[in-house]
């Protein structure tokens, strides 16, 4: 499917919106890394908050101090979560399994 042709104004608006989303996601990950927010809190808000919902679960977990790529991959496999899954797409059991594994 071909991409729609955008006017310069539409393109500038889309670029600004994307930059804002990246900034919000970066702030979210920084707050997790600093310990201001917990994974349980963040996953609980995933359905309501667009920024959290569109962030990949693996990226959220990698922001937790002490969790690297290998531990995150093991956690996701243990909970039965696809590495490309976004936070809003998690089921209740998957969310509970992650929170229990981290708690």
């Amino acid at each position: 499917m071909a991409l729609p042709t955008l006017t310069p104004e539409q393109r500038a608006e889309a670029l600004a919106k994307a930059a804002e989303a990246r900034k919000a996601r970066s702030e979210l990950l920084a707050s997790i890394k600093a310990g201001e927010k917990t994974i349980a809190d963040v996953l609980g808000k995933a359905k309501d908050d667009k920024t959290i919902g569109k962030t990949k679960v693996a990226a959220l977990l990698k922001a937790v101090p002490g969790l690297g790529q290998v531990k995150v991959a093991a956690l996701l496999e243990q909970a039965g979560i696809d590495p490309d899954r976004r936070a809003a797409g998690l089921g209740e059991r998957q969310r509970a399994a992650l929170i229990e594994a981290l708690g």
Side-chain angles (χ1 to χ4, degrees):
M1 183 171 139
L3 293 174
T5 305
L6 300 176
T7 65
E9 294 84 19
Q10 290 173 324
R11 180 172 165 72
E13 185 178 311
L15 288 172
K17 186 177 176 184
E20 186 178 316
R22 282 192 303 272
K23 185 175 188 266
R25 212 170 290 124
S26 173
E27 289 171 356
L28 169 69
L29 296 176
S31 68
I32 293 172
K33 189 173 291 253
E36 297 168 9
K37 293 185 180 179
T38 65
I39 288 294
D41 295 339
V42 171
L43 291 179
K45 298 176 187 173
K47 298 280 186 195
D48 303 324
D49 188 332
K50 256 187 182 175
T51 302
I52 297 171
K54 290 187 175 188
T55 305
K56 291 188 178 184
V57 177
L60 291 173
L61 292 175
K62 285 178 189 173
V64 175
L67 290 183
Q69 190 168 351
V70 174
K71 287 183 182 177
V72 167
L75 273 172
L76 291 175
E77 186 177 328
Q78 178 185 354
I81 301 171
D82 188 312
D84 292 330
R85 174 76 64 198
R86 298 189 186 274
L90 288 180
E92 286 299 319
R93 289 185 184 155
Q94 291 174 325
R95 187 176 298 117
L98 270 182
I99 293 169
E100 181 181 322
L102 291 172

